[in-house]
Amino acid sequence: MAACSTPNVKGDSGTAEKVQKYETFLNDRLKSDLKKALERRDAIYEEISEYTKLATMIETIKASKHAFEDGILRTKTDLGCNFFCEAEVEDPRMICLGVGYGIYVQLTLDEALEFIKKKTPLLEM
């Protein structure tokens, strides 16, 4: 059996320089690009998750007609760190929805669901 050995290459130091150059490129450029791409992906996944939660909440509001008393929706809202307070929504038939670039649009619950159904597949592309 013959032992494996690296071939005798002229200019072995030139090869080592090329390898060092590629390693530097990989570490300096490609890893930072990968980190940025993963951060963008995570932000998109977070946005999709928020739209999905909103769609679920809208469906819950539409299904629970008993939650409406005198046209007011009474609920509890999370202030952060699992601290809740009671809240009243005067007109639960309309919501303000962020559509992007800091623009918010007042929509009916059905219009908001339609928007979410169209927006989510675009984000998944």
Side-chain angles (χ1 to χ4, degrees):
M1 245 187 199
C4 290
S5 63
T6 57
N8 187 4
V9 179
K10 287 186 179 180
D12 194 27
S13 64
T15 305
E17 288 175 15
K18 284 185 178 182
V19 168
Q20 182 63 34
K21 182 180 172 182
Y22 286 124
E23 284 179 358
T24 303
F25 176 73
L26 174 79
N27 289 326
D28 294 344
R29 177 63 185 208
L30 296 181
K31 284 188 178 180
S32 65
D33 287 351
L34 176 63
K35 183 179 177 184
K36 289 176 188 175
L38 291 175
E39 288 171 355
R40 285 192 305 262
R41 181 204 62 185
D42 291 343
I44 290 171
Y45 284 165
E46 180 67 27
E47 190 173 358
I48 291 170
S49 174
E50 288 179 15
Y51 277 122
T52 304
K53 288 177 188 176
L54 179 60
T56 303
M57 184 60 69
I58 291 171
E59 290 293 343
T60 303
I61 290 171
K62 287 175 61 176
S64 64
K65 296 291 184 185
H66 69 278
F68 298 91
E69 295 175 12
D70 303 325
I72 295 175
L73 173 64
R74 288 174 176 71
T75 184
K76 291 187 180 184
T77 187
D78 189 358
L79 298 175
C81 298
N82 288 325
F83 286 101
F84 290 86
C85 71
E86 292 183 9
E88 291 182 357
V89 180
E90 291 182 10
D91 187 8
R93 296 171 292 145
M94 304 288 282
I95 63 170
C96 289
L97 182 66
V99 295
Y101 297 107
I103 299 171
Y104 290 83
V105 179
Q106 187 174 7
L107 301 171
T108 65
L109 298 178
D110 291 328
E111 290 170 339
L113 283 174
E114 187 63 31
F115 175 81
I116 292 168
K117 287 178 186 174
K118 289 180 181 179
K119 176 82 174 191
T120 305
L122 293 175
L123 291 171
E124 292 173 346
M125 293 176 129

